[in-house]
Amino acid sequence: MRSNHERGEWIGSRGQFLIERHTADAMAAAHWHDHVEVNLLLEGEMTYLFNGRQERVEAGRLVLFWAAIPHQTIAVTANAPLVCAYLPLVDFLALPIDGEARQAIMQGRFLREGNREAPDTVMIPRWETEWRTGNAVRQRLIVDEVRLRMRRLILDNSESADSAISISPVSSGGQTVRYVETLTNLINSQYANPISVTDLAKRAGIHASTANKAFRSVLGISVNDYLMRYRIARAMQRLTDTNDPVLQIGFDCGFGSSSRFYEIFKERTGMTPRHFRESIGSVRPTSL
């Protein structure tokens, strides 16, 4: 998968399943796309900046997250091979998983396998090869296997008291990265309120221009753009997991008017909030 680092947007086929393998590298800017992403690093280490936290990933340890939340690799071991599988949101919602686990993922939890699983290092690279070279029947089988592996990872995390569903501690980093972590934490807690960039910067103890400079340096987007993306992500989660009125969701997610909510939601997702809810309603099962 490739991203447009100028705009932070995913370039590819919206709403389609994909597996790819490439050499991991530090990204110049954050990106996002409406898939649930599963990654397996085959060698070395890498660090994501995701949902206001630095998440260190070791080789052989499967990770899962909702990629609609802007994310970026900020540190990577040289020549580290990475296999990524991207499951469209509608397919993720069709998985028979616990509702609370699904909600946690859509609210920005970063899951990782508790132990390095040797079968993953054989099976997942094989998925990528067979996806690229196999026929339609084999590709369908791979999609089914990815869905099952996701279910097992989510179930293992839900059942384990020492689960990696808990957000990992903030790692050390440069001052600019720490500014971004502080600001994204504030956005995560204050997104529902009518808060401005100036307000966020003041709470972080920095100037608004410093806040935007830090965001553009680390994530490649402005503070306000990240705030909008986060509000849309939370609205998508509410539209998926509740029957709350659409307009109430918009107001609860920090949009000051219904017209603004509809405008931004359609701009970011390609459909209105009501159409989004209708599109996932036919595939979402009762949670097991």
Side-chain angles (χ1 to χ4, degrees), residues 145-164:
E145 289 180 348
V146 171
R147 288 158 58 98
L148 284 170
R149 185 64 185 91
M150 282 187 170
R151 288 177 60 191
R152 178 174 291 279
L153 177 61
I154 293 166
L155 182 62
D156 288 347
N157 274 269
S158 298
E159 290 180 342
S160 172
D162 299 323
S163 158

Side-chain angles (χ1 to χ4, degrees), residues 7 11 20 38 58 64 72 80 82 99 119 138 158 162 203 212 236 239 264 270-272 288:
R7 294 181 299 159
I11 297 176
E20 66 160 2
V38 173
E58 301 170 316
L64 179 152
Q72 178 184 9
L82 178 70
R138 187 164 293 277
S158 298
D162 299 323
R203 294 187 184 207
N212 269 317
M236 292 171 77
L239 288 164
I264 297 297
M271 63 183 78
T272 67
L288 298 182

Side-chain angles (χ1 to χ4, degrees), residues 19 44 76 179:
I19 298 181
V76 185
Y179 284 156

Side-chain angles (χ1 to χ4, degrees), residues 38-180:
V38 173
N39 290 345
L40 183 71
L41 191 66
L42 301 179
E43 298 175 16
E45 295 183 353
M46 62 190 297
T47 302
Y48 283 100
L49 187 61
F50 179 80
N51 201 23
R53 301 278 180 169
Q54 293 183 51
E55 300 284 357
R56 186 171 65 87
V57 176
E58 301 170 316
R61 200 183 297 272
L62 197 66
V63 302
L64 179 152
F65 56 89
W66 189 32
I69 296 174
H71 55 282
Q72 178 184 9
T73 51
I74 59 174
V76 185
T77 303
N79 301 315
L82 178 70
V83 180
C84 305
Y86 309 96
L87 187 72
L89 178 63
V90 292
D91 292 335
F92 173 73
L93 297 174
L95 296 180
I97 59 176
D98 177 73
E100 290 185 4
R102 181 179 61 244
Q103 182 177 350
I105 292 165
M106 296 185 72
Q107 288 180 350
R109 295 297 179 93
F110 189 96
L111 275 64
R112 78 187 81 222
E113 185 61 65
N115 300 303
R116 293 184 180 87
E117 295 286 337
D120 284 339
T121 63
V122 174
M123 176 177 63
I124 293 176
R126 188 185 69 194
W127 285 345
E128 187 276 332
T129 300
E130 294 187 349
W131 177 261
R132 188 164 29 85
T133 62
N135 59 24
V137 174
R138 187 164 293 277
Q139 288 183 338
R140 182 66 253 174
L141 178 63
I142 292 166
V143 174
D144 291 341
E145 289 180 348
V146 171
R147 288 158 58 98
L148 284 170
R149 185 64 185 91
M150 282 187 170
R151 288 177 60 191
R152 178 174 291 279
L153 177 61
I154 293 166
L155 182 62
D156 288 347
N157 274 269
S158 298
E159 290 180 342
S160 172
D162 299 323
S163 158
I165 201 169
S166 302
I167 298 176
S168 64
V170 177
S171 310
S172 60
Q175 184 65 56
T176 300
V177 172
R178 288 195 290 272
Y179 284 156
V180 172

Side-chain angles (χ1 to χ4, degrees), residues 186-197:
L186 284 169
I187 288 170
N188 296 351
S189 63
Q190 299 296 322
Y191 73 94
N193 301 321
I195 194 164
S196 67
V197 175

